[in-house]
């Protein structure tokens, strides 16, 4: 396979990077919309020649063929010889996707129906604890992909969360984590969701043992525990009767639309959860069918490639301008950095170009009073995604967002006093959501999932394994540091 930096488009882009002069365009050519999300990339350091070459690079990397390979279930996770089918989790019921000569969609639909039954029963106070009292609190025990997505989702859609139930998360192995969450809960009315793809995650199993002792009614075990795992046999051996499967073709960080998100389904109801799936599926279809010049995930990915590989900017700041997205950055950190934090290509060889960016950020109005000064006059190279909601256009929060974009891209205070000089010239994407709804949330998740996939294709790395993560897990297991 031809090396990435030997491709014709790559060589063109290297030349453009040396000669490009920053210009600021507000033309409609830099506005792309789909599924209630508009991308304004007028703040990026690109022109038509650069964009054409980035599209050429995508074509030289056979991006279209790689998209089709992922969607139809080919084993594109080459190091683990697995398909990558998180998109199947939100596919319609009549879709056919074959894995090992078996249509996987009926299994997915069965799990969806089970989630509907469980969530409805708990919301209707029909799921009873060991003393006959209805469940009042649901606790998700999981870490990484088994926590970050559900935690983000349930807080993002807090206005839709049922107010007669409490929802809680236990993730890290801090000695006080379990006791602090359960201090004000009643064992009689608490349900634990034990989420672990492998069902061997040390932190999760440790907290499960604490939960088992805290409930202290083993004969009523299944009234208080639900397992969500790809290792169904292991869960059965541990005594679980209510088990919602996920599958080895869904990576933990890509499990947002799976049963891993059961706690959100309970919290907002199955109807709203289905809207998340519909929004994600709509973005999937846009990604598969739209020309690259108008394809939101592809454009977002290629702009990132330009910044990282040709402008040498390895920081991606994500600032959100709604409290609904305040937990988006931690979720995105795992999604992106665990996927594309790689320096070995798909053929097992060391690469000599940059890959995944460092993701950081948070609420934009908080940035104004913490690290915004560094953005304006600091010495580090940074690119940024600003995410706002159009329904706030008349509010101060969106006026602040526009002001941030203006200063970061164009600078300000160009007077004689050098202390007041702000250069600007930070490459900025502005992502505007028409509204914040379950459907738009699903589309936003799908957008970034596919952006990361596209970058992995161009960099010729496997975005779907995580050997660095597995290495430390194995040391913990070998030394029995967590019982």
């Amino acid at each position: 396979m031809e090396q990435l930096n030997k491709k014709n488009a790559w060589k063109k882009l290297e030349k453009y990077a040396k000669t490009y002069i920053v210009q600021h365009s507000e033309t409609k050519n830099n506005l792309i919309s789909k599924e209630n999300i508009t991308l304004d990339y007028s703040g990026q350091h690109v022109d038509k020649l650069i964009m054409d070459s980035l599209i050429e690079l995508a074509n030289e990397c056979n991006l279209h063929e790689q998209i089709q390979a992922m969607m139809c279930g080919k084993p594109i996770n080459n190091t683990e010889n697995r398909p990558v089918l998180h998109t199947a989790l939100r596919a319609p019921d009549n879709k056919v996707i074959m894995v090992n000569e078996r249509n996987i969609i009926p299994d997915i639909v069965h799990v969806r129906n089970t989630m509907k039954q469980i969530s409805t029963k708990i919301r209707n106070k029909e799921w009873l604890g060991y003393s006959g009292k209805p469940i009042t609190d649901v606790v998700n025990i999981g870490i990484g992909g088994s926590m970050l997505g559900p935690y983000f989702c349930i807080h993002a859609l807090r206005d839709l969360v049922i107010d007669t139930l409490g929802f809680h998360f236990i993730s890290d192995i801090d000695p006080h984590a379990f006791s602090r969450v359960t201090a004000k809960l009643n064992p009689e009315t608490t349900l634990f969701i034990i989420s672990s793809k492998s069902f061997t995650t040390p932190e999760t199993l440790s907290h499960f043992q604490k939960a088992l002792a805290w409930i202290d009614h083993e004969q009523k075990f299944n009234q208080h525990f639900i397992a969500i795992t790809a290792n169904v046999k292991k869960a059965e051996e541990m005594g679980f009767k209510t088990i919602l499967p996920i599958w080895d073709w869904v990576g933990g960080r890509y499990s947002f639309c799976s049963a891993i998100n059961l706690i959100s389904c309970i919290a907002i109801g199955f109807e709203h959860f289905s809207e998340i799936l519909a929004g994600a599926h709509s973005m999937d279809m846009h990604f598969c069918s739209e020309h690259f010049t108008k394809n939101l995930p592809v454009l977002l990915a290629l702009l990132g490639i330009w910044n990282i590989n040709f402008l040498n900017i390895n920081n991606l700041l994500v600032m959100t301008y709604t409290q609904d997205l305040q937990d988006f950055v931690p979720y995105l950190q795992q999604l992106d950095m665990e996927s594309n934090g790689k320096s070995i290509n798909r053929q097992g060889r060391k690469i000599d170009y940059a890959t995944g960016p460092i993701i950081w950020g948070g609420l934009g109005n908080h940035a104004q009073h913490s690290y915004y000064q560094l953005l304006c006059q600091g010495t580090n190279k940074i690119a940024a995604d600003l995410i706002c909601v159009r329904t706030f256009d008349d509010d101060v929060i969106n006026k602040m967002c526009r002001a941030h974009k203006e200063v970061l891209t164009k600078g300000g205070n160009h007077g004689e006093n050098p202390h007041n000089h702000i250069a600007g010239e930070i490459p900025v994407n502005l992502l505007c959501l028409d509204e914040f709804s379950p459907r738009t949330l699903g589309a936003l998740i799908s957008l970034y999932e596919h952006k990361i996939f596209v970058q992995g294709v161009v960099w010729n790395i496997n975005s779907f394994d995580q050997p660095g993560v597995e290495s430390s897990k194995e040391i913990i297991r070998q030394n029995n540091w967590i019982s």
Side-chain angles (χ1 to χ4, degrees):
M1 182 176 180
E2 184 184 26
Q3 291 182 350
L4 179 58
N5 51 16
K6 302 297 183 185
K7 293 183 183 295
N8 289 331
W10 187 277
K11 292 177 181 178
K12 287 183 189 177
L13 290 163
E14 285 181 325
K15 292 179 181 178
Y16 293 147
K18 294 175 182 177
T19 59
Y20 179 75
I21 299 174
V22 176
Q23 301 172 1
H24 299 288
S25 170
E26 302 295 342
T27 66
K28 291 184 179 180
N29 292 335
N30 293 335
L31 294 175
I32 305 293
S33 297
K34 177 60 184 175
E35 196 52 47
N36 296 327
I37 301 176
T38 300
L39 167 63
D40 172 4
Y41 62 94
S42 60
Q44 291 287 338
H45 299 179
V46 293
D47 57 20
K48 186 178 186 304
L49 285 174
I50 292 169
M51 292 306 299
D52 287 348
S53 296
L54 287 168
I55 298 295
E56 182 184 343
L57 179 64
N59 288 324
E60 284 190 286
C61 294
N62 300 313
L63 177 58
H64 181 73
E65 291 82 356
Q66 291 297 317
I67 292 171
Q68 298 307 313
M70 177 178 70
M71 297 295 292
C72 71
K74 291 186 178 179
I76 65 169
N77 179 349
N78 64 302
T79 58
E80 298 173 330
N81 194 31
R82 293 174 180 172
V84 175
L85 282 168
H86 46 279
T87 53
L89 298 169
R90 52 254 192 168
D93 294 4
N94 59 358
K95 180 78 173 175
V96 176
I97 301 176
M98 305 299 291
V99 174
N100 297 326
E101 301 182 350
R102 187 170 185 270
N103 182 14
I104 62 173
I105 296 298
D107 293 338
I108 294 170
V109 172
H110 177 72
V111 171
R112 283 183 201 157
N113 290 335
T114 303
M115 292 173 70
K116 181 179 181 179
Q117 293 166 8
I118 290 172
S119 60
T120 301
K121 193 172 182 179
I122 293 172
R123 288 167 65 88
N124 289 343
K125 300 291 185 181
E126 295 169 354
W127 189 297
L128 308 180
Y130 63 77
S131 65
K133 297 177 182 178
I135 292 299
T136 60
D137 291 273
V138 180
V139 181
N140 188 92
I141 295 180
I143 196 167
S146 297
M147 185 279 288
L148 289 168
Y151 187 87
F152 162 53
C153 184
I154 209 168
H155 288 89
L157 299 174
R158 72 194 76 193
D159 293 340
L160 300 177
V161 171
I162 190 170
D163 60 6
T164 56
L165 293 167
F167 299 94
H168 317 271
F169 291 84
I170 301 174
S171 56
D172 62 76
I173 202 62
D174 185 290
H176 301 295
F178 184 88
S179 59
R180 284 173 176 166
V181 169
T182 57
K184 296 183 179 180
L185 303 185
N186 182 353
E188 296 177 74
T189 59
T190 300
L191 174 70
F192 290 95
I193 299 173
I194 312 300
S195 297
S196 171
K197 181 179 177 181
S198 66
F199 234 63
T200 61
T201 306
E203 299 94 332
T204 300
L205 295 185
S206 176
H207 285 311
F208 164 61
Q209 292 300 326
K210 291 180 181 179
L212 197 59
W214 186 72
I215 292 291
D216 196 27
H217 274 76
E218 288 196 34
Q219 70 275 22
K220 302 289 186 179
F221 176 91
N222 286 288
Q223 291 170 243
H224 293 272
F225 290 93
I226 294 173
I228 301 174
T229 182
N231 193 348
V232 173
K233 183 179 179 181
K234 176 79 170 177
E236 289 174 339
E237 291 171 353
M238 294 172 65
F240 287 87
K241 292 291 190 293
T242 305
I243 304 170
L244 277 68
I246 53 176
W247 301 272
D248 62 7
W249 39 258
V250 179
R253 57 190 175 276
Y254 291 90
S255 62
F256 190 91
C257 292
S258 76
I260 287 291
N261 215 353
L262 175 62
I263 190 170
S264 296
C265 184
I266 298 168
I268 65 176
F270 185 76
E271 182 178 342
H272 289 312
F273 186 77
S274 296
E275 291 172 14
I276 295 175
L277 304 184
H281 177 67
S282 180
M283 184 60 73
D284 294 342
M285 294 300 97
H286 166 77
F287 177 54
C288 289
S289 60
E290 187 59 77
H291 191 277
F292 291 166
T293 57
K294 298 180 181 179
N295 191 307
L296 280 179
V298 172
L299 289 174
L300 207 57
L302 294 178
L303 291 165
I305 295 283
W306 171 248
N307 290 329
I308 293 165
N309 295 109
F310 301 99
L311 301 186
N312 300 315
I313 302 172
N314 65 356
N315 273 276
L316 178 60
L317 167 70
V318 180
M319 291 202 293
T320 61
Y321 294 83
T322 169
Q323 283 191 344
D324 294 333
L325 290 174
Q326 67 181 356
D327 298 305
F328 182 56
V329 172
Y331 166 76
L332 187 59
Q333 284 176 324
Q334 187 203 18
L335 186 64
D336 197 319
M337 293 198 286
E338 195 168 282
S339 294
N340 287 344
K342 310 286 173 59
S343 57
I344 305 297
N345 69 14
R346 294 176 65 87
Q347 290 74 39
R349 292 191 290 271
K350 183 82 173 176
I351 58 179
D352 59 358
Y353 47 82
T355 57
I358 297 169
I359 308 288
W360 63 289
L363 290 173
N365 62 308
H366 288 186
Q368 175 74 24
H369 303 282
S370 56
Y371 52 79
Y372 189 68
Q373 170 60 36
L374 181 143
L375 303 181
C376 291
Q377 294 184 311
T379 58
N380 297 289
K381 285 189 172 185
I382 295 164
D385 286 357
L386 312 185
I387 308 177
C388 67
V389 182
R390 197 177 304 283
T391 49
F392 293 162
D393 270 355
D394 294 329
D395 294 303
V396 173
I397 190 69
N398 275 16
K399 294 174 183 177
M400 178 179 289
C401 176
R402 290 192 290 271
H404 284 171
K405 179 178 182 287
E406 178 84 7
V407 173
L408 296 179
T409 57
K410 299 180 181 180
N413 296 332
H414 297 294
E416 294 182 3
N417 187 342
H419 296 287
N420 295 333
H421 178 73
I422 301 171
E425 299 187 2
I426 291 177
V428 171
N429 290 315
L430 177 62
L431 285 158
C432 188
L433 316 182
D434 287 352
E435 60 179 2
F436 196 79
S437 64
R439 185 179 179 96
T440 305
L441 175 62
L444 183 68
I445 294 295
S446 175
L447 169 61
Y448 274 91
E449 286 177 342
H450 295 318
K451 172 215 168 176
I452 292 162
F453 168 69
V454 171
Q455 291 184 332
V457 169
V458 172
W459 288 323
N460 188 29
I461 57 176
N462 181 4
S463 300
F464 303 104
D465 63 359
Q466 52 283 330
V469 177
E470 297 302 327
S471 63
S472 57
K473 283 184 181 179
E474 186 58 33
I475 291 172
I476 292 171
R477 292 190 192 105
Q478 289 177 357
N479 290 277
N480 295 315
W481 287 340
I482 299 177
S483 58

